[in-house]
Amino acid sequence: MESILDNIRVTSKLTTKSQATIPEKIRKILGLIPGDSVAFEVDQNKKVVIRKATPIDFEFAKAVEGTLSEWSSKNDQEAYCDL
């Protein structure tokens, strides 16, 4: 018996700002609504998993933000402000 999660393949095109829309079918499966955050996980084979972010994702980000100071210079802000 095939489930809703079997063989789903949809695409989305990147905008000039390197942004992509999450297709409606995927948003429905993940239960995403406007304002939700998503988490991306990338494995060694460059396979990306996208899922609805959870409170633990935000706790982790807050815990490591102080260790990422090498990415917070004025040059970095200018270089990446359009992403």
Side-chain angles (χ1 to χ4, degrees):
M1 183 174 189
E2 204 168 292
S3 81
I4 192 170
L5 301 178
D6 289 337
N7 300 315
I8 294 177
R9 293 184 188 205
V10 294
T11 61
S12 183
K13 192 178 215 177
L14 290 180
T15 67
T16 57
K17 291 187 175 186
S18 296
Q19 298 171 333
T21 298
I22 300 171
E24 181 180 13
K25 191 177 225 179
I26 303 301
R27 292 193 313 266
K28 283 183 177 183
I29 291 169
L30 297 179
L32 295 172
I33 60 172
D36 283 344
S37 294
V38 294
F40 298 91
E41 297 173 3
V42 183
D43 70 14
Q44 293 177 352
N45 297 317
K46 297 183 181 178
K47 181 178 178 181
V48 178
V49 173
I50 181 175
R51 60 180 173 74
K52 189 173 185 175
T54 63
I56 193 80
D57 295 310
F58 299 109
E59 289 177 34
F60 176 78
K62 188 169 180 77
V64 299
E65 73 182 348
T67 67
L68 303 174
S69 60
E70 71 270 18
W71 299 103
S72 62
S73 73
K74 182 179 177 185
N75 290 338
D76 290 319
Q77 292 296 325
E78 290 173 8
Y80 301 113
C81 69
D82 290 334
L83 296 180

